[in-house]
Amino acid sequence: MTPLLLVIPVVVACAASLAPASLSHRGFPDKRGVSPLAVNPAPCVSGERERRSESAVDDGEIRWTDKTRYDGPREHALKTWQFTGAKIKLRADSATTVNDLEFRDYRGGTGDRAAVAQYVRDSGVGATDFVRFNRDKMSGRSRAFLNSAASHELGHALGLCHKDGRVLSLMWTDIASPPITSPQAVDKANYAKLWR
């Protein structure tokens, strides 16, 4: 008797459609019936790259400050990226350190092209990068949605790029439904490759 395997597709909420994501990397057998033991890093979407030089990391850490009303999602994001084996330390800024990243709110509107949140890189020496939350788009959203947005943008501050819908990733270009609120196995694999 062949065992029955139930696979529930994961979908990404896109502007125009819902697209299923592959689940074979999550321990489910692939088309050959083989369950993977480890997850390989996933490629970036076209035109993007993962580079340390495009992160907010300075000397193995990100020192952060905040001027945001979204303290809960910020705290969630900081905690979720400090998983076992994480090399980059995320610490609050102090009077004796240089601020690498600031969490800040802005009014970006609610139009289709308006971002929910964004990572803004400032390439200057000693400059502060930003994770910016669009209050207009985040207002009234669920805690899971807000946690997903904050964790995703902190992923960019750590140097990670967007992933396409063929892998289960926090770094999809759109927030999933239901939202993915923490780094998935593939995100940790890309993180480990970038910061080994």
Side-chain angles (χ1 to χ4, degrees):
M1 179 196 276
T2 306
L4 178 63
L5 176 65
L6 296 175
V7 178
I8 301 170
V10 175
V11 294
V12 179
C14 298
S17 65
L18 296 175
S22 168
L23 295 177
S24 64
H25 66 283
R26 292 212 39 202
F28 293 93
D30 65 12
K31 291 178 183 176
R32 298 166 295 154
V34 177
S35 292
L37 298 176
V39 174
N40 292 323
C44 299
V45 296
S46 181
E48 293 186 27
R49 292 189 293 184
E50 292 181 332
R51 291 188 260 182
R52 291 181 178 199
S53 63
E54 292 189 12
S55 73
V57 176
D58 183 22
D59 291 329
E61 68 181 7
I62 293 177
R63 290 289 184 155
W64 58 268
T65 57
D66 77 293
K67 293 179 182 173
T68 178
R69 64 172 47 185
Y70 300 105
D71 286 333
R74 175 193 44 81
E75 290 168 6
H76 171 84
L78 291 164
K79 182 178 177 182
T80 198
W81 279 105
Q82 293 292 258
F83 53 85
T84 302
K87 294 190 178 218
I88 306 306
K89 302 301 178 203
L90 305 173
R91 298 181 173 128
D93 192 31
S94 71
T96 61
T97 59
V98 175
N99 183 22
D100 302 310
L101 183 67
E102 183 175 302
F103 293 87
R104 180 181 283 184
D105 299 341
Y106 75 108
R107 302 305 294 249
T110 59
D112 290 342
R113 298 187 58 92
V116 171
Q118 56 187 211
Y119 169 61
V120 180
R121 169 99 175 106
D122 187 335
S123 59
V125 175
T128 301
D129 296 348
F130 296 91
V131 167
R132 299 176 61 213
F133 300 125
N134 180 352
R135 288 173 48 187
D136 297 325
K137 281 271 191 163
M138 291 182 74
S139 178
R141 299 292 189 142
S142 71
R143 177 53 65 105
F145 184 94
L146 301 178
N147 288 347
S148 181
S151 298
H152 174 96
E153 296 308 326
L154 186 53
H156 287 312
L158 287 162
L160 299 181
C161 65
H162 287 119
K163 305 295 182 281
D164 70 27
R166 291 176 287 182
V167 296
L168 184 62
S169 173
L170 173 64
M171 301 309 295
W172 280 340
T173 56
D174 293 306
I175 294 178
S177 180
I180 298 170
T181 60
S182 62
Q184 302 298 295
V186 73
D187 302 313
K188 292 178 182 180
N190 281 76
Y191 175 101
K193 180 181 177 187
L194 184 62
W195 296 108
R196 59 178 147 199

